[in-house]
């Protein structure tokens, strides 16, 4: 029925070559074709950020990107972050600061923070609040997420 | 891990132990229903009514059925005969027999009502096929305003010609005499609009019927597995034993998933018919259209006040905009409002009447607070208005009327018995945190400079623990660890952690020697679920009782094994049982003999009352209507707190929800019954950039009604915030002649009030 296109994309370090319907969104490609269900879908208006992934290192809402648009690109999802079994400093900070409750927004939120701190390692609370505007959380009230981001910024500073 | 003292009776309770849940949720390995994949699983999409009120003349699904990948498409008639979800009436409400249909019959009564469903190999195919449905409607007049509905000009259900589908009343004392003798009678019509719970994970389920065994397994995004199982049994007319419900990760609920959506029953019926798993996960747009909403209550209130500021009597006539049908818990919030209209005050006489009205809108049901915010809003608005009309300070009016701590258990004039609490202390504490006298002085100075600022206070109750029974089972595993199954279930509240803390202390074990399980009717003991801030109270108490039982059983087993008399055996940290002649571990005890298990059920005798107070200082930009929070403080009395980080997390999260309720959230319906702002673009969920900072503290008056002394904490912020914000905003606008204004306090609304007053010369300084 619908037209298929070949997509070659490196996801979490593994190269994939898949025929997908032209209209398939990156988020469905990750979740349904590759089985990477850590990336969530929370809306249909590109408003919530639950689907946030890193595309060539930059955070994008994967519900606003077609799978074909990721052709030739590198995608990182939440599944790649705790490589080697130990949590990423941002994940660790979320845990320490109780920055998640139900955990549904968390994969997107963590990746948004990772990307935000890469771009602005010295981000202050104001920067973080503004930078996370596209990621909604209905549980935490955000304060612990902001604290986690600040803690992670410190931790990454120490690591660097 | 948080540092721990080596021994001692209480080592984990009261610590902000890191959550057990987090590792899986942080790495993307938590499984929500949308993440489940089963061989042969089909995808279901719902065909919904585009009209708010119409006769369904004909449904033609021929084109749907012949679309690519489609396995079935059915209407309500195809699924008949299904039963309906029983409406809850144990709170004394009288209700009409108007349950939510699974799929509409010959009439639709709200825009978004499910009319038919289609299942296909892929979600995309099901979406495409659904668009081919040909449904012929004949439009009927629409009524969206509950007061208009009461005229009966448009009738939704022939069995209720006045559209009244629910009633409740209560009261005591000589109300008429109190009003006759009052120095002052304060009157107001107040309203809290309809809200969307909007959990980040929409509703959904996977139904999987095994034709070989006849077992129907439903994986649901729900607040607990037990109520859904009973609902499935009632609707599908099957014995509960033939149904297993599994609740895995749940991406928030806030009351909105205490009942399965009608779509889940359709998915289950289709799984039974087709013999394959069927997944239904709604879109966000569908969640705004068809998930039950909260609030939508208004009230005409009268308060009789003596010259010295004492409240003598309260009268309230409540109207609840129930919507098109009754969900099982639809009567719950309005009745709870009714029981709380006197708030934290000693008001000797009261009468309250609740009328639930059918309108052409999606039904309402519990949303975080579920009647508590509405009750607090009524009591606190009336207290503010009494102060204004007496020319008395608002803290002082409250002080003169608060129920004293020594008066508990206190029975209010609407028949509510409050077990414990120290409301005067809460008020003093919140005033101290606000620097109330200083704030008043600053406000005077600010006003002289032409600034628009206000101070608001609220003191409120949070009855918790409703649904009074909960169970827990324990078993010692071969490695000596103790695993528990509890009847409550978690959707963000961190039960796996808080209950493990409780159990580790009760058995003097290390935190990682215990493990908490829940959410699967095949394993968890009967329970009622997680709502009404009840898990810690009822479920935690059951767990503690089971632990006590396990201890006793282990001690007597140890006595046998060691050849000692029971009195000689002592319990040591880590699960070692010793007598003068020897010692044995829990692992050795189960290796040596029968399983070591315990089970307990806790029954709470009456609701437990948490309480709290909020204080807010706001300023409003007179040129744009933009509202700024200058200071926000809260004090909560949740009794004994199991895990402070989790409790604080509940408060901060609920406070933002309550704040959003006050400043931006409201589901808007057009006169044709269409939802006007059904997405995250239009509905005012707040982002990190808009969230205010809260300064919050806890005090403690342990509840006498449970062995832990705990109370609820889940709904405090949504309960206290709207009233405090209403106090602050109306105070800010008082110079413009505003006496009362209902939320949401959007910039547009505030700007219009200020601009209107300035045009008519009511000034407000400058
Ligand atoms: S799913 Fe909401 S922004 Fe992508
Ligand atoms: S933790 Fe539940 S939505 Fe963010």
């Amino acid at each position: 029925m619908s037209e298929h296109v070949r997509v070659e994309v490196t996801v979490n370090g593994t190269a994939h070559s898949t025929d997908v319907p032209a209209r398939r969104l990156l988020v469905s490609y990750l979740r349904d074709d590759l089985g990477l269900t850590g990336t969530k879908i929370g809306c249909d208006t590109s408003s919530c950020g639950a689907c946030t992934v890193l595309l060539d290192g930059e955070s994008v809402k994967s519900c606003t990107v077609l799978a074909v648009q990721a052709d030739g690109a590198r995608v990182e999802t939440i599944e790649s972050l705790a490589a080697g079994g130990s949590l990423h400093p941002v994940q660790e900070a979320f845990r320490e600061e109780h920055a998640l409750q139900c955990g549904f927004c968390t994969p997107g939120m963590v990746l948004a923070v990772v990307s935000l701190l890469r771009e602005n390692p010295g981000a202050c609370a104001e920067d973080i609040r503004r930078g996370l505007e596209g990621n909604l959380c209905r549980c935490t009230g955000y304060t612990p997420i902001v604290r986690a981001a600040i803690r992670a910024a410190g931790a990454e500073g120490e690591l660097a | 891990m948080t540092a721990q003292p080596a021994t001692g009776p209480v080592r984990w309770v009261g610590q902000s132990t890191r959550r057990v849940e987090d590792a899986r949720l942080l790495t993307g390995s938590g499984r929500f229903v949308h993440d489940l994949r089963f061989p042969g699983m089909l995808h279901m999409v719902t065909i919904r009514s585009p009209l708010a009120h119409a006769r369904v003349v004909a449904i033609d699904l021929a084109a749907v059925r012949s679309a690519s990948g489609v396995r079935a498409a059915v209407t309500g008639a195809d699924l008949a005969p299904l039963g309906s979800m029983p409406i809850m009436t144990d709170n004394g409400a009288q209700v009409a027999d108007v349950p939510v249909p699974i799929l509409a019959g010959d009439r639709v009564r709200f825009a978004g009502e499910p009319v038919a469903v289609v299942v296909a190999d892929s979600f995309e195919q099901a979406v495409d096929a659904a668009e081919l449905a040909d449904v012929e409607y004949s439009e009927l007049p629409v009524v969206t305003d509950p007061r208009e509905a009461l005229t009966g000009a448009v009738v939704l259900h022939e069995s209720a010609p006045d559209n009244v589908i629910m009633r409740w009343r209560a009261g005591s004392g000589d109300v008429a005499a109190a009003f006759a003798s009052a120095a002052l009678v304060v009157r107001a019509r107040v309203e809290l609009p309809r809200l969307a719970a909007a959990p980040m994970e929409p509703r959904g389920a996977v139904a999987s019927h095994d034709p070989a065994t006849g077992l129907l397994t439903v994986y649901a995004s729900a607040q607990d597995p037990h109520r859904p199982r009973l609902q499935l049994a009632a609707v599908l007319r099957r014995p509960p034993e033939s149904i297993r419900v599994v609740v895995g990760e749940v991406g928030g609920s806030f009351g909105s998933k205490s009942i399965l959506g009608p779509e889940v029953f359709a998915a289950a019926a289709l799984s039974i018919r087709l013999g394959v798993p069927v997944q239904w996960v709604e879109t966000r747009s569908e969640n705004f259209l068809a998930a039950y909403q909260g609030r939508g209550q208004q009230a005409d209130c009268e308060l009789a006040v003596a010259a010295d500021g004492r409240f003598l009597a309260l009268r309230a006539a409540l109207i609840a905009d129930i919507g098109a049908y009754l969900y099982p818990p639809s009567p719950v919030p309005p009745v709870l409002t009714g029981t709380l209209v006197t708030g934290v005050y000693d008001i000797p006489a009261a009468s309250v009447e609740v009328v639930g009205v059918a309108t052409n809108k999606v039904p309402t049901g519990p949303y975080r607070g579920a009647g508590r915010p509405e009750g607090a809003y009524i009591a606190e608005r009336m207290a503010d208005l009494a102060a204004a009309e007496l020319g008395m300070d608002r803290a002082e009016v409250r002080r003169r009327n608060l129920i004293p701590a020594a008066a508990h258990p206190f029975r209010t004039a609407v028949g509510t018995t409050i077990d414990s609490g120290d409301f005067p202390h809460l008020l003093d504490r919140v005033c101290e945190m606000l620097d109330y006298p200083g704030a008043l002085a600053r406000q005077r100075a600010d006003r002289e400079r032409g600034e628009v600022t206000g101070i608001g206070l609220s003191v409120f109750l949070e009855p918790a623990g409703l649904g009074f029974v909960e169970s827990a089972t324990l078993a010692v595993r071969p490695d000596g660890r103790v695993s528990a199954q509890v009847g409550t279930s978690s959707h963000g509240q961190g039960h796996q952690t808080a209950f493990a803390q409780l159990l580790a202390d009760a058995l003097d074990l290390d935190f990682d020697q215990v493990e908490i399980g829940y959410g699967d009717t095949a394993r968890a003991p009967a329970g009622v679920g997680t709502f009404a801030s009840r898990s810690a109270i009822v479920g935690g108490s059951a767990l503690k009782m089971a632990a006590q039982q396990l201890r006793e059983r282990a001690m007597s087993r140890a006595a046998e094994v060691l050849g000692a008399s029971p009195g000689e055996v002592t319990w040591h940290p880590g699960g070692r049982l010793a007598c003068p002649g020897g010692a044995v571990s829990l692992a050795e005890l189960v290796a040596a003999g029968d399983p070591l298990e315990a089970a307990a059920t806790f029954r709470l005798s009456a609701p437990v009352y948490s309480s709290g107070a909020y204080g807010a200082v706001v300023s409003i930009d007179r040129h744009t209507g933009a509202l700024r929070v200058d200071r926000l403080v809260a004090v909560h009395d949740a009794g004994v707190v199991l895990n402070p980080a989790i409790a604080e997390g509940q408060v901060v999260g609920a406070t933002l929800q309550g704040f959003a309720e006050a400043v931006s959230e409201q589901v808007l319906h057009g006169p044709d019954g269409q939802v006007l702002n059904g997405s995250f673009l239009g509905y005012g969920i707040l982002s990190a950039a808009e969230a205010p900072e809260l300064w919050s503290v806890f005090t403690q008056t342990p509840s006498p009604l449970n062995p832990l002394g705990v109370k609820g904490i889940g709904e405090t912020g949504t309960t206290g915030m709207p009233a405090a914000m209403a106090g602050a905003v109306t105070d800010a606008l008082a110079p413009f002649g505003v006496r009362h204004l209902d939320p949401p306090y959007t910039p547009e609304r505030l700007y219009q009030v200020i601009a209107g007053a300035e045009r008519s010369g009511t000034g407000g300084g400058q």
Side-chain angles (χ1 to χ4, degrees):
Chain A
M1 171 192 99
S2 57
E3 189 199 335
H4 278 63
V5 217
R6 170 141 301 228
V7 174
E8 307 205 344
V9 51
T10 302
V11 180
N12 301 337
T14 308
H16 295 271
S17 177
T18 326
D19 281 332
V20 298
R23 75 190 224 198
R24 179 144 305 165
L25 296 171
L26 179 58
V27 66
S28 317
Y29 173 71
L30 294 170
R31 290 175 47 84
D32 300 330
D33 295 87
L34 304 186
L36 295 171
T37 55
T39 304
K40 304 301 177 201
I41 301 173
C43 74
D44 43 14
T45 50
S46 312
S47 315
C48 75
C51 62
T52 303
V53 299
L54 304 182
L55 184 67
D56 285 334
E58 288 205 11
S59 75
V60 296
K61 292 179 173 176
S62 61
C63 73
T64 63
V65 179
L66 292 168
V68 294
Q69 291 175 290
D71 188 45
R74 197 164 40 81
V75 175
E76 290 162 80
T77 71
I78 191 70
E79 283 91 348
S80 72
L81 219 52
S86 60
L87 294 180
H88 183 278
V90 170
Q91 291 170 312
E92 196 58 62
F94 266 61
R95 190 172 185 184
E96 289 298 328
E97 295 292 346
H98 189 36
L100 63 156
Q101 288 182 27
C102 78
F104 193 81
C105 71
T106 308
M109 199 65 91
V110 165
L111 288 170
V113 171
V114 167
S115 149
L116 187 147
L117 294 182
R118 275 187 199 162
E119 278 164 35
N120 181 5
C124 66
E126 256 325 288
D127 300 333
I128 293 165
R129 285 188 179 272
R130 266 200 310 276
L132 294 179
E133 221 167 352
N135 287 74
L136 298 178
C137 173
R138 191 63 158 158
C139 297
T140 63
Y142 301 106
T143 305
I145 295 176
V146 175
R147 279 199 209 119
I150 290 171
R151 176 190 275 258
E156 294 209 333
E158 282 162 32
L159 291 179
Chain B
M1 277 294 141
T2 318
Q4 296 297 322
T7 53
V10 172
R11 301 180 304 155
W12 295 101
V13 167
Q15 307 268 357
S16 291
T17 307
R18 297 196 314 185
R19 299 203 317 168
V20 180
E21 298 76 351
D22 290 355
R24 61 176 189 266
L25 294 170
L26 281 164
T27 52
S29 46
R31 289 278 168 274
F32 297 83
V33 287
H34 203 188
D35 305 334
L36 300 176
R37 304 284 184 270
F38 296 97
M41 185 175 85
L42 302 178
H43 301 264
M44 188 183 96
V45 162
T46 310
I47 295 161
R48 299 181 181 279
S49 167
L51 299 171
H53 202 186
R55 292 209 171 282
V56 181
V57 180
I59 306 176
D60 181 356
L61 299 180
V64 178
R65 293 194 179 106
S66 57
S68 160
V70 170
R71 299 303 186 89
V74 298
T75 64
D78 298 329
L79 286 183
L82 292 179
S84 55
M85 289 187 270
I87 296 158
M88 288 168 66
T89 51
D90 50 359
N91 58 14
Q94 285 174 275
V95 295
D97 186 23
V98 292
V100 174
I102 302 308
L103 296 177
D106 55 4
R107 187 148 157 203
V108 288
R109 294 179 178 85
F110 70 93
E113 184 169 349
V115 171
V117 293
V118 50
V119 288
D121 292 332
S122 76
F123 175 72
E124 286 136 325
Q125 286 169 325
V127 169
D128 287 348
E131 279 175 16
L132 304 174
D134 184 6
V135 186
E136 190 187 327
Y137 295 99
S138 151
E139 278 192 59
L140 293 168
V142 167
V143 62
T144 59
D145 179 77
R147 285 185 196 273
E148 207 178 303
L150 283 173
T151 65
V154 175
V155 176
L156 272 82
H157 301 277
E158 273 60 44
S159 61
D162 53 359
N163 291 315
V164 172
I165 54 175
M166 186 217 126
R167 267 186 199 284
W168 181 85
R169 58 167 69 237
S172 69
D174 196 339
V175 177
F179 273 92
S181 72
L184 169 73
V185 174
V186 182
R187 292 189 177 83
R189 174 173 289 186
V190 302
E191 177 172 3
L192 288 179
R194 277 186 171 231
L195 301 175
M200 291 312 296
E201 180 206 27
R203 298 173 303 157
V206 179
S208 176
H209 181 250
D210 180 352
T213 60
L215 182 70
L216 171 71
T217 304
V218 176
Y219 303 85
S221 180
Q223 281 171 219
D224 59 89
H226 305 285
R227 288 178 296 170
R229 178 156 83 148
L230 295 176
Q231 291 150 22
L232 283 158
V235 172
L236 300 172
R237 302 182 197 273
R238 295 167 66 93
E241 302 72 52
S242 71
I243 301 168
R244 174 184 172 203
V245 177
V246 182
V247 175
E249 303 298 347
V250 175
S253 172
F254 314 111
S256 71
K257 295 174 182 169
S258 66
I259 296 300
L260 296 175
E263 298 88 346
V264 180
F265 303 95
L270 285 169
S271 176
I272 293 169
R273 184 176 295 187
L274 302 170
V276 288
V278 174
Q279 184 180 57
W280 168 69
V281 174
E282 69 181 348
T283 62
R284 175 60 54 191
S285 305
E286 289 180 285
N287 184 265
F288 273 109
L289 275 182
Y292 60 71
Q293 298 173 346
R295 318 280 192 266
Q297 293 187 26
Q298 43 185 291
D300 283 323
C301 310
E302 293 177 293
L303 180 68
V305 187
D308 63 357
R310 289 278 307 154
F311 301 162
L312 304 173
L314 179 82
R315 251 191 228 129
L318 261 76
I319 293 184
D321 172 9
I322 298 276
Y325 305 97
L326 287 167
Y327 265 102
S330 293
V332 171
V335 170
L336 202 48
T337 305
T339 66
L340 292 170
V341 289
T342 52
V344 286
Y345 304 110
D346 178 359
I347 306 180
S351 77
V352 52
E353 182 179 29
V354 178
V355 172
V357 185
T359 56
N360 290 115
K361 294 190 271 191
V362 70
T364 48
Y367 165 58
R368 200 170 195 174
R372 300 165 185 82
E374 299 92 318
Y377 187 66
I378 290 171
E380 294 304 280
R381 287 311 301 138
M382 296 313 284
D384 279 349
L385 287 167
E389 283 168 36
L390 288 163
M392 196 180 270
D393 175 73
R394 285 170 297 160
E396 181 55 27
V397 158
R398 284 176 167 80
R399 237 168 243 128
R400 291 190 186 183
N401 290 284
L402 286 172
I403 299 164
H408 298 298
F410 180 88
R411 193 176 159 84
T412 71
V414 280
T416 300
T417 302
I418 303 169
D419 66 322
S420 58
D422 188 343
F423 313 141
H425 176 66
L426 293 175
L427 179 64
D428 288 347
R429 206 54 222 283
V430 95
C431 285
E432 201 180 293
M433 289 165 77
L434 270 185
D435 176 22
Y436 188 63
L440 287 171
R442 280 189 294 280
Q443 181 188 39
R444 275 192 295 275
D446 288 343
R447 276 187 175 163
E448 271 162 31
R449 285 198 304 275
E451 280 169 36
V452 185
T453 75
I455 304 165
L457 296 170
S458 74
V459 190
F460 61 92
L461 289 171
E462 185 191 354
L466 311 155
F468 298 125
V469 188
E470 206 57 72
S471 307
T473 59
L474 294 176
V476 179
R477 302 198 322 192
D479 63 0
R481 298 173 67 206
V482 176
S483 71
Q485 284 283 338
V486 293
T488 61
S489 195
S490 185
H491 37 280
Q493 298 88 346
H495 293 172
Q496 255 178 331
T497 308
F499 281 170
Q501 291 175 260
L502 189 68
L503 186 58
D505 277 354
L507 294 174
D508 207 356
L509 296 176
D510 250 345
F511 185 70
D512 42 21
Q513 283 182 289
V514 299
E515 187 179 89
I516 306 292
Y518 53 80
D520 182 346
T521 56
R523 290 195 282 167
V528 186
T530 303
F531 59 91
S533 307
R534 62 188 292 280
S535 296
I537 303 163
V538 197
S541 297
L543 192 60
K544 181 155 181 171
M545 287 164 65
Q548 189 53 39
Q549 202 184 86
L550 189 80
R551 229 171 155 68
E552 282 158 19
R553 286 188 185 164
M555 306 267 273
S556 76
R557 181 83 63 82
E560 278 168 38
V561 169
L562 297 170
S565 70
E568 289 175 317
V569 178
T570 48
W571 184 289
H572 296 266
R576 220 169 156 67
L577 294 89
C579 69
V584 63
S585 70
L586 284 174
E588 286 159 352
L589 273 186
V590 286
D594 297 332
L596 199 47
E597 294 170 347
T601 297
F602 178 73
R603 187 174 291 275
L604 187 67
S605 56
V608 165
Y609 281 78
S610 296
S611 49
Y614 273 79
V617 180
V618 305
S619 35
I620 299 168
D621 183 323
R622 62 197 304 154
H623 305 294
T624 64
L627 180 142
R628 192 183 71 214
V629 174
D630 298 322
R631 189 146 175 79
L632 185 59
V633 301
V635 45
H636 288 105
D637 175 3
V640 173
V641 169
L642 299 181
N643 181 316
I646 290 177
E648 175 77 10
Q650 289 287 321
V651 167
V652 175
T655 297
L656 180 62
Q657 274 178 330
F659 178 69
E661 171 170 3
V663 302
S664 62
E665 289 188 32
Q666 173 176 26
V667 182
L668 296 167
H669 288 83
D672 55 357
Q674 299 294 336
V675 174
L676 301 178
N677 57 345
S679 81
F680 283 146
L681 297 173
Y683 187 77
I685 303 268
L686 298 182
S687 75
E690 300 151 305
E693 286 282 354
L694 170 74
W695 183 28
S696 128
V697 300
F698 284 86
T699 67
Q700 247 183 43
T701 58
S703 169
L705 297 181
N706 68 80
L708 304 173
V710 297
K711 301 179 178 181
I713 190 66
E715 317 184 76
T716 48
T718 45
T719 301
M721 275 298 283
M725 289 296 295
V729 168
T730 50
D731 183 40
L733 297 179
F736 299 90
V738 171
R739 182 176 171 268
H740 171 71
L741 188 69
D742 289 314
Y745 305 117
T746 59
E748 296 80 353
R749 188 172 288 187
L750 298 180
Y751 172 76
Q752 258 151 28
V753 168
I754 293 171
E758 283 176 337
R759 270 195 306 276
S760 67
T762 327
Q766 293 228 322

